[in-house]
């Protein structure tokens, strides 16, 4: 029997009343709610990853390489643009990378600014590290402008700012001039969260802006385009001094030998691993066209998901689809739902189901 509830415990003040991150994890046939890559990893790549894991298991009596040198070299090679291994860092998901950044550069008396609606983990990571969170609302079309971003950064002078591009949950691409203006507008750490960068074929990664900008940090992940969410591998490209700062807060041996082996093997096959990206983009565009045709408002997206407005009752549509084994995301944005782009078959099922609900979705 449970004898204690959360409210009986001497919890830190800034955690009182918070809810843990909690996207539903239902084993449904069509799962399009957390922007995973629903395309499976090709069999030959699976075989090579398994062989690498088998070799790594023989060494797990020892602690893993604390500096995960081979993986960092592989990540540097994957990103290109002359990046060196000492500019790369990785952790168990980019969430852990972001947490380490907040541990090193945030904390009590310091602040983190981001432009909402944006990734729901930012405020949770802020409170977990006792960093004040400053939300600044995006314009109605969700697109950041240099003037708006510069004004917010000058006014609040945060210690850390995060620009999410493409932005989750709106899909909005992030323009290079906004990043450049933001960097010059304040003295703090500027993080560009590029979790969805590979899906935004029209724009180059912000890693090209790193030379001469030691306060610019580009966060990436293998969770989305690489179909690797279950492995937990996020990474960062930045000045080598930033990497030294993160070494001060990381737990020793934070990346297991198995994680390092699996990720290094997957990067060897990056071309095959990323082959699904163009299909996902075309399913996204097909879904956008179909929903527009049905009268919904589809926001421009550079990611593997769409934010869709025009639902009379988003909660009712969410429930109606869930009852049919289709899971999408209700983020509490008025009239809106977020939908991950899946395989061709999943997209067809979803379009048919929403079409059957009629104009505006379920009531
Ligand atoms: C999915 C996502 C991440 C990735 O998190 P991981 O911990 O790497 O799985 C990071 N940022 C944003 C905005 C995301 O949507």
């Amino acid at each position: 029997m449970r004898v204690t509830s959360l409210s009986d415990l001497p919890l830190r003040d800034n955690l009182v009343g918070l809810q843990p991150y909690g996207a539903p994890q239902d084993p449904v046939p069509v799962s399009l709610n957390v922007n995973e890559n629903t395309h499976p990893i090709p069999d030959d790549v699976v075989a090579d990853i398994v062989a690498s894991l088998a070799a790594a298991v023989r060494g797990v009596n020892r602690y893993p390489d604390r500096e995960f040198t081979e993986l960092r070299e592989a990540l540097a090679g994957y990103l290109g643009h002359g990046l060196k291994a000492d500019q790369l860092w990785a952790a168990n998901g980019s969430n852990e990378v972001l947490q380490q950044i907040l541990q090193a550069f945030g904390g009590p008396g310091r602040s983190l600014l981001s432009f909402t609606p944006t990734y729901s983990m930012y405020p949770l990571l802020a409170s977990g590290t006792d960093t004040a969170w400053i939300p600044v609302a995006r314009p109605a079309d969700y697109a950041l402008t240099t003037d708006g971003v510069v004004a917010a950064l000058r006014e609040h002078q945060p210690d850390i700012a995060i620009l999410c591009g493409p932005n989750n949950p709106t899909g909005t691409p992030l323009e290079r001039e906004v990043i450049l203006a933001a960097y010059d507008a304040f003295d703090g750490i500027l993080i560009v969260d590029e979790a969805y960068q590979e899906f935004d074929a029209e724009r180059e990664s912000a890693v090209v802006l790193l030379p001469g900008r030691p306060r610019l940090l580009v966060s990436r992940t293998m969770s989305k385009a690489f179909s690797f969410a279950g492995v937990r591998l996020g990474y960062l490209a930045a000045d080598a001094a930033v990497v030294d700062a993160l070494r001060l807060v990381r737990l020793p041996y934070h990346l297991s030998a198995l994680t390092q082996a699996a990720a290094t093997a997957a990067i060897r096959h990056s071309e095959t691993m990323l082959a699904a990206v163009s299909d996902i983009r075309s399913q996204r565009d097909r879904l956008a066209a179909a929903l527009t045709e049905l009268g919904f408002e589809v926001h421009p997206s550079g990611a593997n998901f769409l934010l869709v407005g025009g639902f009379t009752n988003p909660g009712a549509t969410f429930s109606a689809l869930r009852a049919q084994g289709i899971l999408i995301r209700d983020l509490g944005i008025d009239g809106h739902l977020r939908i991950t782009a899946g395989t061709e078959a999943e997209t067809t099922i979803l379009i048919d189901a929403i079409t059957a609900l009629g104009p505006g979705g379920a009531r």
Side-chain angles (χ1 to χ4, degrees), residues 128 152 198 244 251 257 277 283 328 334 341 360:
E198 287 94 340
D244 287 338
L251 296 174
V277 165
Q283 295 310 320
I328 59 170
D334 214 24

Side-chain angles (χ1 to χ4, degrees), residues 17 41 97 118 131 165-166 191 197 214 245 259 262 293 298 310:
I41 297 176
V97 174
T118 191
T131 307
I191 305 169
Q197 201 279 333
T259 303
E293 183 78 10
V298 180

Side-chain angles (χ1 to χ4, degrees), residues 106-119:
R110 295 193 171 203
S111 60
L112 165 70
L113 183 148
S114 54
F115 295 90
T116 56
T118 191
Y119 189 36

Side-chain angles (χ1 to χ4, degrees), residues 34-35 92-96 98 119 122 164 166 168 193 195-196 220-224 229 232-234:
V34 288
N35 299 342
N92 297 283
S94 55
N95 277 293
E96 188 179 60
L98 294 172
Y119 189 36
Y122 302 152
C164 187
N168 181 7
D193 183 344
Y196 300 97
R220 306 272 298 229
T221 183
M222 292 181 71
S223 293
K224 308 288 163 57
R232 311 303 300 127
L233 201 288

Side-chain angles (χ1 to χ4, degrees), residues 70-85 88 267 270:
E70 206 185 332
L71 174 58
R72 284 161 72 195
E73 280 164 1
L75 289 167
Y78 169 64
L79 287 180
H81 297 292
L83 285 167
K84 299 278 182 296
L88 267 293
I267 294 164
S270 55

Side-chain angles (χ1 to χ4, degrees), residues 69 91 190 219 239 329 361:
T69 311
L190 179 65
S219 145
D239 193 280
R329 195 81 181 273

